[in-house]
């Protein structure tokens, strides 16, 4: 923007780059019609993922804050908002098995519980009147890759089961039959003994994922077992992917293992095992019914205990952990430095929050009132959330929704 003749100096703190606008929403500085046009375009083009799978939260991760029913309703509101506003490139939920695996589940339980959760979301969204072809492309999945052989086919089996169900049960079109999934290598397989060996495990897990044609991949840093990853360890983790994708010849061929006896046999065996687990969940009233009796949590805990028992007895050999130890006995590595926020950084964040509360004191009360009314009147909560976050903090929003959505209480 060029200043014309006679225009005064720029205001204090303004360097001509528009930095005074940081923290200001478009609605505050643009004409209403221009803002709506830009907002509409942004929603149609924005990319990303909402990681809001309430079912895996209850089953594995223990970070629920609202009642399961209210959380499901908000998830449905997110997808409904996406449909109404033509949000095509943003995944409305990452249906996650990673946290189920990290909590201790074996690969079969991870896959079965995750797919069952996915079908539960489909059933719920359909029950709200949404067309399966309007929301299925907004769903994505998130799996863990360990070193067990079943992980070599986890994506193939997931795609086979999903495509069949979406086509024959829900009448979905070919686009909706395509299961998209992200792989993160197993954090649980990283050990604080001989941590340099963790890169070897991560490399093998990354190979499983790439050979199985995952849509995206995250490789863990070797030192995550003891501390927040360093720049050096993150670069090494990234190099694992780069070397496989750009240097390993076989990886340039799509599905290089497809057709081999072991892969085809494993695919059939894992699919059969997953379908058997579906039967056990169905016998307990489906995913939500099974959750009432903590079936999934109980199974995950049993499998976790089984893994830890084999690890400590040595029946499951882990190089540098319980076998082939170094001459020093492969002691646990302690971090040289644990990264923590300084007191100054903490206080600065607290002060920023206080400033937000003070600046928007009047607007936030009205925004929170509208948000609560939307919840009580069964209107779209996410639409009001999009407005409330302009003037309210996360804590204010959470406390307001506690009053109408209820706080989470685990069945005992």
């Amino acid at each position: 923007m060029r200043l014309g003749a006679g225009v005064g100096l720029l205001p204090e703190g303004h360097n001509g780059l528009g930095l005074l606008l940081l923290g200001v929403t478009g609605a505050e500085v643009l004409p209403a019609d221009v803002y709506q046009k830009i907002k509409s375009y942004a929603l149609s083009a924005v990319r990303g993922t909402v990681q809001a799978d309430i079912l895996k939260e209850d089953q594995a991760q223990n970070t629920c804050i609202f009642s399961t029913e209210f959380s499901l309703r908000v998830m449905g509101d997110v997808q409904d908002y996406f449909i109404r506003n033509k949000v095509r490139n943003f995944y409305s939920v990452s249906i996650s098995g990673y946290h189920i695996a990290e909590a201790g589940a074996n690969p079969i339980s991870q896959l079965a519980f995750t797919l069952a959760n996915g079908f539960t979301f489909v059933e719920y969204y359909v029950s709200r009147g949404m067309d399966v072809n309007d929301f299925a492309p907004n769903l994505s999945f998130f799996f863990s890759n360990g070193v067990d052989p079943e992980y070599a086919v986890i994506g193939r089996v997931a795609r086979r089961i999903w495509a069949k169900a979406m086509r024959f049960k829900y009448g979905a079109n070919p686009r909706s039959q395509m299961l998209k999934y992200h792989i993160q290598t197993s954090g649980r397989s990283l050990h604080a003994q001989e941590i340099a060996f963790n890169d070897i495990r991560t490399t093998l897990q990354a190979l499983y994922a790439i050979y199985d044609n995952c849509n995206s991949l995250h490789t863990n840093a070797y030192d995550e077992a003891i501390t927040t990853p360093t720049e050096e360890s993150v670069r090494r983790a990234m190099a694992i992917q780069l070397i496989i994708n750009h240097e390993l010849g076989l990886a340039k061929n799509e599905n290089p293992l497809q057709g081999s006896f072991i892969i085809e046999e494993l695919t059939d065996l894992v699919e059969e095992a997953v379908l058997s687990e579906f039967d056990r969940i169905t016998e307990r009233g489906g995913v939500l019914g099974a959750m009432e009796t903590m079936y999934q949590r109980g199974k995950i805990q049993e499998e976790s205990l089984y893994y830890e028992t084999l690890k400590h007895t040595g029946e499951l050999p882990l190089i540098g952990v319980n076998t082939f130890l170094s001459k020093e006995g492969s002691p646990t590595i302690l971090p040289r430095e644990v990264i923590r926020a300084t007191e100054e950084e903490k206080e600065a964040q607290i002060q920023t929050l206080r400033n937000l509360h003070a600046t928007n004191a009047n607007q936030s009360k009205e925004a929170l009132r509208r948000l609560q009314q939307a919840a009580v009147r069964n209107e779209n909560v996410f639409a009001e959330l999009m407005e409330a976050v302009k003037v309210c903090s996360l804590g204010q929003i959470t406390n307001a929704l506690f009053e109408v959505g209820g706080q989470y209480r685990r069945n005992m």
Side-chain angles (χ1 to χ4, degrees):
M1 177 178 178
R2 187 174 65 86
L3 293 177
V7 176
L9 296 174
L10 291 169
E12 185 180 349
H14 195 301
N15 63 357
L17 298 176
L19 295 182
L20 281 182
L21 297 179
L22 289 176
V24 178
T25 67
E28 296 176 71
V29 295
L30 293 172
D33 59 332
V34 176
Y35 173 69
Q36 286 303 323
K37 184 177 180 180
I38 294 174
K39 180 180 177 181
S40 178
Y41 172 77
L43 288 172
S44 68
V46 67
R47 305 184 69 87
T49 305
V50 179
Q51 189 164 319
D53 177 358
I54 186 57
L55 300 181
K56 64 87 179 170
E57 295 288 349
D58 184 288
Q59 295 165 18
Q61 208 172 10
N62 304 317
T63 51
C64 308
I65 56 175
F66 300 114
S67 67
T68 303
E69 293 78 10
F70 183 74
S71 296
L72 265 177
R73 182 240 170 127
V74 174
M75 288 180 65
D77 286 350
V78 172
Q79 182 56 68
D80 181 66
Y81 182 92
F82 280 19
I83 293 172
R84 294 178 188 275
N85 290 275
K86 298 180 173 57
V87 181
R88 303 298 188 198
N89 303 315
F90 211 103
Y91 295 117
S92 66
V93 55
S94 174
I95 305 164
S96 179
Y98 186 84
H99 308 91
I100 292 171
E102 288 293 286
N106 66 35
I108 300 298
S109 294
Q110 178 198 183
L111 182 53
F113 290 170
T114 308
L115 287 175
N117 292 346
F119 290 128
T120 301
F121 292 131
V122 171
E123 290 283 346
Y124 174 61
Y125 294 170
V126 168
S127 76
R128 286 187 47 165
M130 300 182 217
D131 186 290
V132 67
N133 294 319
D134 286 337
F135 68 75
N138 282 127
L139 305 178
S140 67
F141 287 79
F142 176 21
F143 297 116
S144 169
N145 255 20
V147 292
D148 302 280
E150 293 90 344
Y151 286 114
V153 297
I154 196 170
R156 300 183 89 222
V157 175
R159 284 174 170 148
R160 180 188 286 188
I161 292 175
W162 184 259
K164 287 179 181 176
M166 296 303 282
R167 179 182 178 185
F168 296 114
K169 181 171 176 58
Y170 300 104
N173 63 29
R175 171 105 165 84
S176 299
Q177 295 168 30
M178 297 178 184
L179 180 144
K180 300 166 287 291
Y181 75 100
H182 170 78
I183 286 287
Q184 181 175 340
T185 57
S186 172
R188 188 165 171 258
S189 70
L190 305 180
H191 301 286
Q193 296 158 273
E194 303 271 15
I195 62 172
F197 292 0
N198 288 334
D199 272 344
I200 301 170
R201 297 184 177 97
T202 296
T203 300
L204 296 174
Q205 294 161 11
L207 269 178
Y208 273 164
I210 290 171
Y211 280 5
D212 203 26
N213 274 64
C214 65
N215 295 89
S216 59
L217 172 64
H218 171 94
T219 36
N220 287 331
Y222 71 90
D223 54 358
E224 286 185 40
I226 60 170
T227 186
T228 304
T230 61
E231 182 177 349
E232 177 265 343
S233 68
V234 169
R235 180 164 173 76
R236 283 177 58 169
M238 191 65 239
I240 291 172
Q241 292 193 48
L242 294 173
I243 291 169
I244 291 174
N245 281 316
H246 294 278
E247 297 185 26
L248 186 66
L250 200 59
K252 299 179 187 298
N253 181 72
E254 191 169 311
N255 287 332
L257 301 181
Q258 185 169 291
S260 70
F261 169 78
I262 184 60
I263 292 300
E264 298 304 321
E265 183 72 5
L266 264 177
T267 301
D268 292 339
L269 289 171
V270 172
E271 181 182 24
E272 182 181 356
V274 168
L275 295 178
S276 296
E277 185 58 49
F278 282 178
D279 288 339
R280 289 189 282 274
I281 293 172
T282 301
E283 290 165 0
R284 290 163 173 80
V287 167
L288 296 176
M291 285 166 60
E292 288 292 322
T293 59
M294 297 177 67
Y295 169 72
Q296 293 96 329
R297 288 183 60 79
K299 200 163 192 297
I300 291 168
Q301 289 167 359
E302 288 173 8
E303 290 168 3
S304 178
L305 179 60
Y306 180 66
Y307 168 82
E308 292 298 330
T309 300
L310 296 182
K311 172 182 169 182
H312 286 285
T313 62
E315 293 174 78
L316 176 66
L318 297 171
I319 309 304
V321 177
N322 59 20
T323 188
F324 293 102
L325 304 182
S326 70
K327 61 184 178 181
E328 290 84 20
S330 296
T332 296
I333 306 296
L334 298 177
R336 292 189 301 272
E337 177 186 6
V338 178
I339 300 172
R340 292 287 185 268
T342 65
E343 281 302 314
E344 291 77 12
E345 290 170 333
K346 294 176 185 176
E347 288 301 321
Q349 188 62 36
I350 292 171
Q351 188 57 50
T352 297
L353 183 64
R354 289 174 180 151
N355 293 342
L356 174 71
H357 289 168
T359 302
N360 301 317
N362 295 328
Q363 302 101 304
S364 62
K365 289 180 182 177
E366 177 60 21
L368 294 172
R369 185 189 65 80
R370 289 197 306 269
L371 180 63
Q372 289 182 319
Q373 284 184 339
V376 171
R377 295 172 180 172
N378 208 30
E379 297 168 356
N380 192 296
V381 173
F382 187 70
E384 286 300 333
L385 269 175
M386 290 284 283
E387 299 303 314
V389 292
K390 296 175 181 177
V391 293
C392 302
S393 68
L394 181 60
Q396 289 175 309
I397 291 171
T398 301
N399 287 323
L401 289 179
F402 277 153
E403 297 177 9
V404 292
Q407 284 187 257
Y408 179 82
R409 292 289 184 271
R410 181 173 301 289
N411 291 331
M412 299 300 291

